[in-house]
Amino acid sequence: MAPRAKRYAVAASGQWTDEEEGRRRLPAGEVHAWEPGLNQTVCGLSLSRSQLARFPHVTWTDTFPESGGAADRVQRLCPRCASVAGRRGGDARPRWQRTNPRP
Protein backbone atom coordinates (compact mmCIF):
# COMPACT_ATOMS: atom_id res chain seq x y z
CA MET A 1 0.00 0.00 0.00
CA ALA A 2 1.42 3.41 -0.96
CA PRO A 3 1.76 6.02 1.80
CA ARG A 4 -1.09 8.50 1.82
CA ALA A 5 -0.16 12.13 1.21
CA LYS A 6 -0.73 14.38 4.19
CA ARG A 7 -3.25 17.16 3.85
CA TYR A 8 -2.14 20.37 5.48
CA ALA A 9 -4.38 23.15 6.70
CA VAL A 10 -3.27 26.73 7.37
CA ALA A 11 -2.27 28.79 10.40
CA ALA A 12 -1.66 32.50 9.84
CA SER A 13 -0.57 35.63 11.69
CA GLY A 14 -3.72 37.51 10.63
CA GLN A 15 -7.18 37.08 9.23
CA TRP A 16 -9.76 38.88 7.15
CA THR A 17 -13.37 38.27 6.21
CA ASP A 18 -14.46 37.90 2.61
CA GLU A 19 -17.87 39.57 2.32
CA GLU A 20 -18.40 38.32 -1.25
CA GLU A 21 -18.20 34.65 -0.26
CA GLY A 22 -20.58 34.87 2.67
CA ARG A 23 -18.39 36.21 5.47
CA ARG A 24 -15.77 33.47 5.23
CA ARG A 25 -12.64 33.85 7.39
CA LEU A 26 -9.43 33.75 5.35
CA PRO A 27 -5.71 33.89 6.27
CA ALA A 28 -3.59 37.03 6.02
CA GLY A 29 0.01 37.97 6.75
CA GLU A 30 2.53 35.16 7.26
CA VAL A 31 1.12 31.71 6.53
CA HIS A 32 2.28 28.36 7.96
CA ALA A 33 1.30 24.76 7.16
CA TRP A 34 -0.50 23.02 10.01
CA GLU A 35 -1.81 19.49 10.57
CA PRO A 36 -5.23 19.63 12.27
CA GLY A 37 -5.09 17.85 15.58
CA LEU A 38 -1.59 19.08 16.41
CA ASN A 39 -0.77 22.16 18.45
CA GLN A 40 2.14 23.29 16.30
CA THR A 41 2.94 24.17 12.71
CA VAL A 42 4.93 21.92 10.41
CA CYS A 43 8.03 24.07 11.03
CA GLY A 44 7.66 23.68 14.82
CA LEU A 45 6.05 26.95 15.94
CA SER A 46 3.57 26.65 18.80
CA LEU A 47 0.18 27.93 17.64
CA SER A 48 -0.76 29.52 20.96
CA ARG A 49 2.62 31.07 21.79
CA SER A 50 3.01 32.47 18.28
CA GLN A 51 -0.60 33.75 18.36
CA LEU A 52 -1.39 32.12 15.03
CA ALA A 53 -5.01 31.78 13.94
CA ARG A 54 -6.10 28.35 12.70
CA PHE A 55 -7.89 27.87 9.39
CA PRO A 56 -8.89 24.19 9.15
CA HIS A 57 -11.17 24.94 6.17
CA VAL A 58 -8.31 26.39 4.05
CA THR A 59 -5.81 24.00 2.48
CA TRP A 60 -2.11 24.77 2.18
CA THR A 61 -2.24 24.85 -1.62
CA ASP A 62 -4.96 27.54 -1.54
CA THR A 63 -2.46 30.01 -0.08
CA PHE A 64 -0.16 29.98 -3.13
CA PRO A 65 -0.46 33.23 -5.12
CA GLU A 66 -1.03 31.40 -8.39
CA SER A 67 -3.93 29.40 -6.91
CA GLY A 68 -6.24 32.38 -6.72
CA GLY A 69 -7.94 30.81 -3.71
CA ALA A 70 -7.37 32.26 -0.25
CA ALA A 71 -4.12 34.00 -1.23
CA ASP A 72 -5.45 37.55 -1.63
CA ARG A 73 -3.92 38.92 1.57
CA VAL A 74 -1.12 36.41 2.15
CA GLN A 75 2.16 38.33 2.38
CA ARG A 76 4.62 35.50 3.01
CA LEU A 77 4.69 31.72 2.92
CA CYS A 78 6.92 30.20 5.61
CA PRO A 79 9.90 28.72 3.71
CA ARG A 80 10.40 25.93 6.27
CA CYS A 81 6.76 24.86 6.04
CA ALA A 82 6.93 25.08 2.25
CA SER A 83 9.92 22.74 2.16
CA VAL A 84 7.98 20.10 4.11
CA ALA A 85 4.45 20.59 2.81
CA GLY A 86 5.48 21.27 -0.77
CA ARG A 87 5.99 24.42 -2.77
CA ARG A 88 6.60 24.19 -6.45
CA GLY A 89 6.17 27.66 -7.81
CA GLY A 90 8.23 30.28 -9.62
CA ASP A 91 10.14 31.27 -6.49
CA ALA A 92 10.78 27.72 -5.29
CA ARG A 93 14.28 26.33 -5.41
CA PRO A 94 14.84 23.55 -7.91
CA ARG A 95 15.05 20.05 -6.48
CA TRP A 96 18.55 18.89 -5.57
CA GLN A 97 20.26 17.01 -8.38
CA ARG A 98 23.78 15.65 -8.69
CA THR A 99 25.32 16.88 -11.93
CA ASN A 100 28.71 15.21 -11.84
CA PRO A 101 28.56 11.96 -9.83
CA ARG A 102 31.67 10.24 -8.61
CA PRO A 103 32.75 7.07 -10.44
Side-chain angles (χ1 to χ4, degrees), residues 15-27 73:
Q15 66 182 4
W16 66 287
T17 306
D18 188 6
E19 299 293 334
E20 292 176 7
E21 289 190 26
R23 302 187 54 84
R24 186 175 152 196
R25 274 184 343 115
L26 294 172
R73 304 227 178 131

Side-chain angles (χ1 to χ4, degrees), residues 4-79:
R4 202 170 115 208
K6 291 186 179 183
R7 299 192 59 148
Y8 296 103
V10 173
S13 61
Q15 66 182 4
W16 66 287
T17 306
D18 188 6
E19 299 293 334
E20 292 176 7
E21 289 190 26
R23 302 187 54 84
R24 186 175 152 196
R25 274 184 343 115
L26 294 172
E30 183 170 347
V31 176
H32 296 268
W34 163 64
E35 282 186 76
L38 298 180
N39 202 20
Q40 67 180 14
T41 62
V42 173
C43 67
L45 289 177
S46 169
L47 293 174
S48 59
R49 286 187 181 179
S50 301
Q51 297 180 343
L52 295 173
R54 297 171 180 97
F55 298 89
H57 59 282
V58 178
T59 62
W60 172 247
T61 55
D62 284 341
T63 61
F64 298 163
E66 61 272 7
S67 74
D72 290 346
R73 304 227 178 131
V74 172
Q75 295 174 349
R76 180 177 185 264
L77 293 172
C78 172

